[in-house]
Amino acid sequence: MKNTENNVAMKAVVPTAHPWLAMLPLMIGAFVGMFSETSLNIALPQLMAALKVGQGQIQWLVTGYMLVIGIVLPLSSFLTKWFSTRQLTIFALLAFICGSIVSGLGSNFGIVLLGRMVQGIGTGIILPLMFTVAMMIFPMQKLGSVNGVLALVIMFAPAIGPTLTGLILAASSWRFVFFSFAIILAVGLLFAFTSLKNVGRLTKPKMDLPSVLLSALAFSGLIAGASFASEFGWLSVQVLVTLLVGIVCLFFYSRRQLAMKTPILNLRVFRHKNFALGGILMMLDFAVILSAMYILPQYLQNSLGVKVALTGLIMLPGGLVNALTSALAGRMYDALGAKWPSRIGFMIALLGAAMLALGSSRSAVWYVITAHIVLMIGTPLAMSPAQTSALNSLEGAESADGSTILNTMQQIIGALATALSTSFLTLGKGLTAGSMTAKFTGGVHFSLYFTIVLILLGLLVSFKVTDDGRPD
């Protein structure tokens, strides 16, 4: 019996002659998707001037993209039962390429945003599909190292995104940032036609249309409400009504998922305390990363007067440290559990965020680099143990459900964090007296205070974690 189990583990579900070659189009798509998630932050000042829009509108190029990903991600499992791997991959890559070209050629904000949201469709399909295909075409005993490589691809993309974007903007215009996405993805599309195999079985289950509509209304209502707040104020009718629609739809969506035998999102996994606790830590940590990554490039350019190309280089050390720490944090969990890595991670992140919040328009560049590095050590140190603790509490089909939920919530929380950071930036600018530089620096401080609050919440939750990842 043991030999039989070993033989099964040595074989892939779908044997493939060149599995890494088959994974290449998915890895390229995921890389560009995550690269795109943070790379535009550095171009926002230029885009505001070129498209003649304010802070409240321009942040939709970030939040709108993540919002569409968050809407598409819950449907990923359903889509794999209706369409083949090749069909989904080719469609996703083509959607991202078309969206990139539309944004690159856009003559006004509306067209650029439309292209950006089409890009989100591609990323929302590619991200979960990459891990699904890997589980099918690699033997079970190799999945640990395979997932490590895939995680590195995802973490490396946002690490170098600001730097590459800065170099592109220094040599060309913001339009070529979008065109560069299309060029890279064209290579992935070529491999999708030549190397990718179909995996999985098409069962074509019935689509629950009310769940899809409630999901879209819930997530878009929450994101839109938070985004409108930077323009109209939190107590405005537009914001309150939009948020109310989002909250009501989220309530009915959650209620429907819990009542269904085969829900789109299996929310029953939250009955596992380990998963709920790890998921909360992950969401808070991801919100910290996205809020800081959104505000830092603008602080460097608008408060310190740093050139675009140099902004990307300044952010590179912190990004590389983030990727390296992510790789090491997984091993720390194996040795120490989730308790101390998560606590120490949030403590280090608190120090980094506080250093940034104490910065001014006269801060030295080395000080900002140091603060960013400290923050980028702390956040992944807390993130990886939290994720592992959450997913290790699930078994069988629930593991896939948990992964989908965490990926979906990451995008929604990331979009909310970006929208809230924009609101606090606008609020701080309005409450600060002095020159435009002084006002913007004051806005940055308010936004970073929000980041610090998120870190403190994460630190408090981390004290509910024991050495073995179980709640006290």
Side-chain angles (χ1 to χ4, degrees):
M1 177 68 71
K2 190 172 182 180
N3 288 335
T4 303
E5 291 176 353
N6 289 338
N7 290 335
V8 171
M10 291 293 289
K11 293 182 179 180
V13 177
V14 181
T16 305
H18 304 287
W20 282 114
L21 197 60
M23 288 296 300
L24 199 54
L26 294 162
M27 292 168 67
I28 291 174
F31 174 85
V32 175
M34 296 306 296
F35 174 83
S36 172
E37 193 158 296
T38 57
S39 62
L40 270 198
N41 289 338
I42 202 170
L44 292 182
Q46 281 197 15
L47 284 163
M48 285 173 62
L51 301 175
K52 296 180 176 60
V53 294
Q55 193 78 46
Q57 284 180 280
I58 202 68
Q59 51 106 14
W60 271 99
L61 295 182
V62 179
T63 56
Y65 174 71
M66 288 189 285
L67 171 61
V68 174
I69 297 174
I71 292 173
V72 174
L73 267 171
L75 302 175
S76 59
S77 178
F78 176 84
L79 292 174
T80 57
K81 295 178 177 64
W82 266 87
F83 303 99
S84 71
T85 308
R86 283 168 56 86
Q87 287 173 331
L88 284 175
T89 304
I90 291 169
F91 173 80
L93 293 175
L94 283 173
F96 206 119
I97 290 172
C98 291
S100 300
I101 294 172
V102 168
S103 291
L105 295 175
S107 57
N108 57 56
F109 175 75
I111 295 175
V112 176
L113 177 60
L114 174 64
R116 190 79 175 125
M117 297 179 83
V118 173
Q119 290 175 356
I121 296 173
T123 302
I125 293 173
I126 284 286
L127 280 178
L129 189 62
M130 177 176 68
F131 289 99
T132 300
V133 172
M135 292 178 67
M136 301 293 285
I137 67 175
F138 285 97
M140 187 182 299
Q141 82 276 6
K142 291 186 177 181
L143 286 179
S145 59
V146 170
N147 285 335
V149 173
L150 301 183
L152 183 60
V153 169
I154 289 176
M155 291 305 300
F156 187 62
I160 65 168
T163 303
L164 292 180
T165 304
L167 295 174
I168 290 172
L169 291 174
S172 186
S173 75
W174 59 268
R175 297 182 185 277
F176 196 74
V177 175
F178 292 106
F179 295 147
S180 67
F181 299 156
I183 293 170
I184 298 171
L185 289 169
V187 177
L189 188 61
L190 177 64
F191 281 104
F193 279 112
T194 58
S195 307
L196 187 60
K197 289 190 68 170
N198 288 322
V199 301
R201 190 166 58 92
L202 304 184
T203 57
K204 299 189 175 182
K206 184 180 177 181
M207 164 71 80
D208 184 51
L209 189 57
S211 290
V212 176
L213 292 175
L214 285 170
S215 172
L217 288 171
F219 295 145
S220 59
L222 293 173
I223 302 303
S227 301
F228 290 155
S230 61
E231 220 172 328
F232 303 111
W234 283 98
L235 298 179
S236 65
V237 175
Q238 297 97 318
V239 170
L240 292 177
V241 170
T242 309
L243 286 175
L244 181 62
V245 169
I247 292 170
V248 170
C249 289
L250 182 61
F251 171 78
F252 284 107
Y253 173 75
S254 302
R255 188 175 176 180
R256 187 174 184 85
Q257 299 313 296
L258 292 171
M260 293 173 63
K261 286 186 177 181
T262 54
I264 292 179
L265 270 187
N266 182 14
L267 300 180
R268 297 185 187 91
V269 296
F270 281 105
R271 72 179 183 272
H272 299 284
K273 292 183 179 179
N274 291 1
F275 178 81
L277 189 64
I280 291 170
L281 288 174
M282 269 193 72
M283 297 309 107
L284 288 169
D285 196 76
F286 195 69
V288 169
I289 294 173
L290 265 292
S291 63
M293 291 288 282
Y294 174 75
I295 211 69
L296 185 56
Q298 299 185 69
Y299 166 60
L300 288 167
Q301 293 179 58
N302 294 326
S303 293
L304 300 186
V306 174
K307 299 293 184 184
V308 174
L310 186 57
T311 300
L313 292 174
I314 289 172
M315 295 184 68
L316 180 61
L320 294 177
V321 167
N322 187 343
L324 179 62
T325 308
S326 297
L328 296 175
R331 296 183 180 182
M332 288 186 66
Y333 175 84
D334 293 335
L336 302 173
K339 176 181 177 179
W340 286 109
S342 60
R343 293 179 186 179
I344 293 171
F346 279 113
M347 290 178 185
I348 294 173
L350 180 61
L351 175 61
M355 290 175 66
L356 287 174
L358 291 172
S360 69
S361 58
R362 296 183 298 276
S363 295
V365 170
W366 66 263
Y367 176 85
V368 179
I369 293 175
T370 303
H372 185 220
I373 287 175
V374 173
L375 181 64
M376 290 297 104
I377 291 173
T379 47
L381 192 58
M383 173 75 80
S384 184
Q387 182 176 21
T388 307
S389 176
L391 293 178
N392 278 359
S393 67
L394 307 177
E395 295 181 354
E398 285 191 339
S399 297
D401 294 328
S403 180
T404 300
I405 287 173
L406 292 181
N407 279 318
T408 302
M409 292 309 299
Q410 272 190 327
Q411 301 304 320
I412 300 301
I413 293 297
L416 278 172
T418 302
L420 287 167
S421 292
T422 303
S423 294
F424 285 111
L425 176 64
T426 304
L427 177 65
K429 286 163 65 177
L431 294 176
T432 305
S435 64
M436 292 300 297
T437 299
K439 285 179 176 291
F440 196 90
T441 304
V444 168
H445 288 161
F446 269 70
S447 186
L448 287 169
Y449 297 153
F450 165 64
T451 303
I452 289 172
V453 169
L454 292 173
I455 295 172
L456 289 172
L457 288 173
L459 184 59
L460 287 174
V461 175
S462 70
F463 278 92
K464 291 291 184 180
V465 178
T466 60
D467 284 333
D468 59 0
R470 291 180 303 204
D472 290 329

